[in-house]
Structures are given as structure tokens and as C-alpha cells.
Amino acid sequence: MKTICCRLHRGDDLREKIEQIAKEHKIAAGVVLSGVGCVSCARVRDASGVNVRQVDEHCEIVSLNGTVSAVRCHIHIALSKEDLSTIGGHLMPGCIVNTTVELVLGILEGVEYGVEQDTQTGYDEIVFRGTDE
């Protein structure tokens, strides 16, 4: 497995930067191995797939994981708020890096991600395809 290690900076949009990195590196299939840092505000979607919550306070990232590719990113985040309560969900644009985020992505060999509409879920879902590499 190859890795991409980078540091995100104050003001970066966490989700948008991950998507940008995936496109720049032409990642066919990858995973978030680690994401450590803090954000000044956050936007997460809950499990209903509809409700987006805005958190307007500094939060520590306590977990960041998901699938990453140039065509599709599906990332979940858990955040520790200032009172040490935790909130988490689907990472949405608008999660802004406060001081730093140390990001490590793993690039998987022999597989690529695709996207297909799933009539049961109503969402564009990931499809795993083997490659000849």
C-alpha cells in the first residue's frame, strides 16, 4: 500500500481538501488511515441522510475514516466539542481546519472504486472493481 501524508492548514475545508488530493493524485481506491487535528467549525450529516448539523465551536477530531477516490469520497468524522461531548456523522463541506490536520491516506492496489445508483438505498453507492495491476 502506498501512502499520502500531508498537513492541512488553518482555513482549509477538510472535505474539499481530501477530494482535491484524491483528484490530484488520481486515486482509484483509497482509505483514510488517520486524521488528527482540530476544526473551528464543522458540518456533519446524520444517519437520516437529510439533516445537516452545524457546530460553531472549536472541536478536536477524534476519528476520521472512510473511502477516498477521485470519483467518490465517503467520509465519517467524530469530533470532541469544547465541553468534551462528542458529535459525529457524515463529513460535509464546511468543516474548517482551525490550526492543523495531519492527514494520512492509504492507496489500495489492485482495486478501484466506481459508483452506481442503488434502487434499494436511493443513493449512488460504491462499487468495488478489481484491476489488472
Side-chain angles (χ1 to χ4, degrees):
M1 175 180 4
K2 296 178 183 177
T3 57
I4 297 171
C5 303
C6 59
R7 178 174 169 240
L8 307 185
H9 301 277
R10 177 174 281 139
D12 287 342
D13 184 299
L14 181 57
R15 180 172 177 98
E16 290 177 0
K17 284 301 269 189
I18 293 171
E19 290 173 342
Q20 178 185 349
I21 291 165
K23 289 176 183 165
E24 285 176 359
H25 290 269
K26 297 178 176 70
I27 297 174
V31 294
V32 177
L33 296 175
S34 181
V36 178
C38 56
V39 297
S40 57
C41 61
R43 291 185 72 234
V44 295
R45 191 186 73 213
D46 67 16
S48 74
V50 176
N51 301 311
V52 175
R53 310 281 167 85
Q54 177 84 24
V55 179
D56 290 315
E57 63 183 80
H58 293 191
C59 298
E60 286 284 345
I61 299 170
V62 295
S63 178
L64 185 69
N65 60 68
T67 52
V68 175
S69 76
V71 298
R72 178 187 192 277
C73 293
H74 184 183
I75 304 166
H76 289 186
I77 190 167
L79 299 159
S80 176
K81 295 167 56 173
E82 291 175 339
D83 66 2
L84 299 181
S85 63
T86 304
I87 184 170
H90 184 88
L91 178 64
M92 300 294 291
C95 196
I96 306 301
V97 174
N98 182 23
T99 54
T100 192
V101 169
E102 300 159 8
L103 181 67
V104 181
L105 302 177
I107 301 173
L108 307 176
E109 297 174 11
V111 66
E112 67 181 16
Y113 302 153
V115 179
E116 289 182 6
Q117 176 69 28
D118 186 313
T119 56
Q120 288 184 321
T121 67
Y123 291 103
D124 289 337
E125 299 287 3
I126 194 167
V127 177
F128 302 95
R129 299 182 186 124
T131 64
D132 295 331
E133 296 180 348

